[in-house]
Amino acid sequence: GVRTVTGTTGGSQPQQAAAQQPGGVAGRAKQTVAGLSRALPPKRAQALRDGARAAKVLVTGRGTPPSRLVRATVSAPGGRTNGVGVGRAVGPKVPRPDLPDIDWVPAPDIATYGVIDSLYPRGGDPIAFDVELLDSLNAEYAPKKVVANPPSYGGSVLDTAARRRVIWADRMVGLRGQRVLEIGCGSALEVWNMAHNLGSDAVGVDVIEYGTWQHLRDEHVDLRMVDLTYDNPFEPESFDRIVSFTVWEHIPRPYAMLERAYDLLKPGGLMWMRVNLFAGPQASHRYKDIHFPWPHLLFSDDVVRAWDGSHGRVPRSFAWVNRLSFRHYEDYLLRVGFRIRELGFTQTPIDEAFYARFEDMLGRYPRWDLETDYFLAVLEKPAR
């Protein structure tokens, strides 16, 4: 679980032989460093010795400077380690060398500096991502919406959707009879269904208290308005299961919340999470009224708010989504200490014609990210 990073720099044999001669430059330098070290305080003496070692490698090509030899253990905040990646090396910086004392041939005098040609000429004015373009694209894509049938969130439809999510998670991680925490519980219908239909000891937390809570909260349903990354009312290792249904993308401190979830799980406990990824075609959360893909990657919040106003709607921005890719999540899940037991993705094929029109903007993102809307993960906190 620990990765050791070592390295040496090669040097020519004549250089190495000269360095080994006691009376050579290296020998005299070593004597000088030793003498100075005896006259300095311990910390400053050690810094001098480290610098001398680094200079020796730079000049002779032999030895290993302190900054290249380090036993590195990756630590997540909180002190957990699991050997993922390579830790930062420690030690003094290797000084830049002075130019050698030789005759250099001067470069030709440069009278002017300018671009003559380019592999990527850009003719004409750049595309204006304004209200007019948004309107035009929306009309063009109305017959072929990126989400053909956007979900409804009213009445019994909302309860049916909550039951489906609960059944989905229960089949994968087993919620029945467990103490379960839902992070980002929203309306709390999932918490209610876990408590009343699965017999779970169910707790839901959210940073917003919804009007539905007063009707759903009872002796079996514990609902709390709290941001766990700042104010955690629960004891460590107090939950058997944690679930989160497409909420993590809205969490302002997603890394800190992953750490909190890890702390709250019992050893051997499981976490079920489904997350909307930032660069996916549906990530704007405006697909009910904006029909083309990736509007949040092309248009600013100011433009979409002005567009709302031009159609007589209350201006609103894209639903706030943090900008994490799956690679960010994967890296931090492992750093925190989770084991990924199951992993799946929901993808929408790239509209190649649309991509080609706006490649200057969309080409800044990996294509895999542009077609990946969601990931679903089952995570395990290792048992002791």
Side-chain angles (χ1 to χ4, degrees):
V2 176
R3 182 173 179 177
T4 303
V5 185
T6 60
T8 56
T9 319
S12 67
Q13 291 182 351
Q15 286 178 322
Q16 295 173 7
Q20 293 171 354
Q21 296 178 7
V25 175
R28 291 195 298 273
K30 183 176 181 179
Q31 293 175 0
T32 302
V33 170
L36 289 172
S37 296
R38 287 192 290 270
L40 293 172
K43 288 186 177 180
R44 295 184 66 184
Q46 184 60 51
L48 176 63
R49 288 192 292 270
D50 288 344
R53 287 172 58 197
K56 175 184 175 183
V57 174
L58 182 66
V59 174
T60 69
R62 297 185 68 251
T64 303
S67 60
R68 290 293 302 280
L69 178 59
V70 56
R71 182 167 296 275
T73 303
V74 170
S75 298
R80 286 184 294 275
T81 63
N82 66 348
V84 179
V86 179
R88 290 183 297 175
V90 295
K93 293 182 179 179
V94 178
R96 294 191 178 195
D98 294 328
L99 289 175
D101 187 17
I102 62 175
D103 292 330
W104 288 86
V105 178
D109 185 34
I110 300 175
T112 59
Y113 178 84
V115 175
I116 295 176
D117 200 359
S118 171
L119 289 174
Y120 302 101
R122 293 289 185 263
D125 296 328
I127 297 174
F129 290 94
D130 53 18
V131 171
E132 183 179 356
L133 178 59
L134 198 160
D135 234 357
S136 173
L137 290 174
N138 215 39
E140 178 184 344
Y141 272 77
K144 46 181 179 180
K145 301 176 182 179
V146 65
V147 178
N149 299 299
S152 172
Y153 297 105
S156 61
V157 175
L158 192 62
D159 184 41
T160 301
R163 292 185 186 184
R164 286 175 178 165
R165 295 189 191 101
V166 168
I167 292 170
W168 193 0
D170 179 49
R171 287 176 176 172
M172 296 183 72
V173 299
L175 303 177
R176 298 173 187 273
Q178 304 290 331
R179 179 164 169 77
V180 183
L181 170 67
E182 182 183 355
I183 295 177
C185 64
S187 68
L189 283 166
E190 287 86 359
V191 181
W192 191 93
N193 276 288
M194 286 187 286
H196 289 272
N197 290 313
L198 299 183
S200 304
D201 180 7
V203 180
V205 296
D206 207 308
V207 297
I208 299 172
E209 181 172 350
Y210 290 79
T212 53
W213 288 16
Q214 60 184 318
H215 305 290
L216 301 177
R217 185 186 275 123
D218 57 31
E219 66 273 17
H220 303 292
V221 178
D222 183 357
L223 303 174
R224 308 191 191 192
M225 184 175 67
V226 63
D227 182 341
L228 295 179
T229 65
Y230 289 104
D231 181 19
N232 173 30
F234 306 111
E235 292 296 322
E237 301 181 355
S238 55
F239 292 94
D240 305 294
R241 301 288 185 268
I242 294 177
V243 296
S244 181
F245 304 98
T246 57
V247 167
W248 228 272
E249 64 270 19
H250 300 290
I251 295 177
R253 303 177 70 214
Y255 294 150
M257 191 67 83
L258 287 174
E259 289 184 313
R260 182 68 68 226
Y262 187 94
D263 290 338
L264 291 175
L265 264 182
K266 296 178 181 178
L270 300 177
M271 178 171 170
W272 189 101
M273 66 185 304
R274 188 169 187 253
V275 181
N276 198 177
L277 294 166
F278 170 71
Q282 301 179 21
S284 73
H285 290 57
R286 291 293 305 264
Y287 41 75
K288 283 189 174 182
D289 45 30
I290 301 180
H291 309 314
F292 56 91
W294 309 295
H296 59 300
L297 303 183
L298 300 176
F299 295 88
S300 69
D301 279 343
D302 288 342
V303 169
V304 78
R305 289 174 65 85
W307 178 74
D308 280 329
S310 70
H311 288 272
R313 294 187 294 263
V314 176
R316 61 190 183 95
S317 305
F318 297 117
W320 194 86
V321 179
N322 62 48
R323 297 173 180 265
L324 302 188
S325 71
F326 172 71
R327 279 83 172 176
H328 295 120
Y329 281 105
E330 181 182 37
D331 175 69
Y332 212 74
L333 286 169
L334 295 175
R335 286 176 180 267
V336 167
F338 281 111
R339 291 176 181 166
I340 301 176
R341 289 183 35 160
E342 295 188 52
L343 183 63
F345 301 91
T346 302
Q347 296 181 312
T348 301
I350 289 178
D351 183 326
E352 296 294 347
F354 189 90
Y355 178 88
R357 289 164 67 182
F358 303 107
E359 187 175 3
D360 280 0
M361 296 288 285
L362 299 176
R364 304 172 187 183
Y365 301 89
R367 287 177 63 92
W368 188 88
D369 290 349
L370 289 174
E371 66 183 358
T372 305
D373 291 303
Y374 301 90
F375 80 85
L376 189 160
V378 173
L379 311 168
E380 178 184 15
K381 180 175 181 175
R384 293 194 184 96

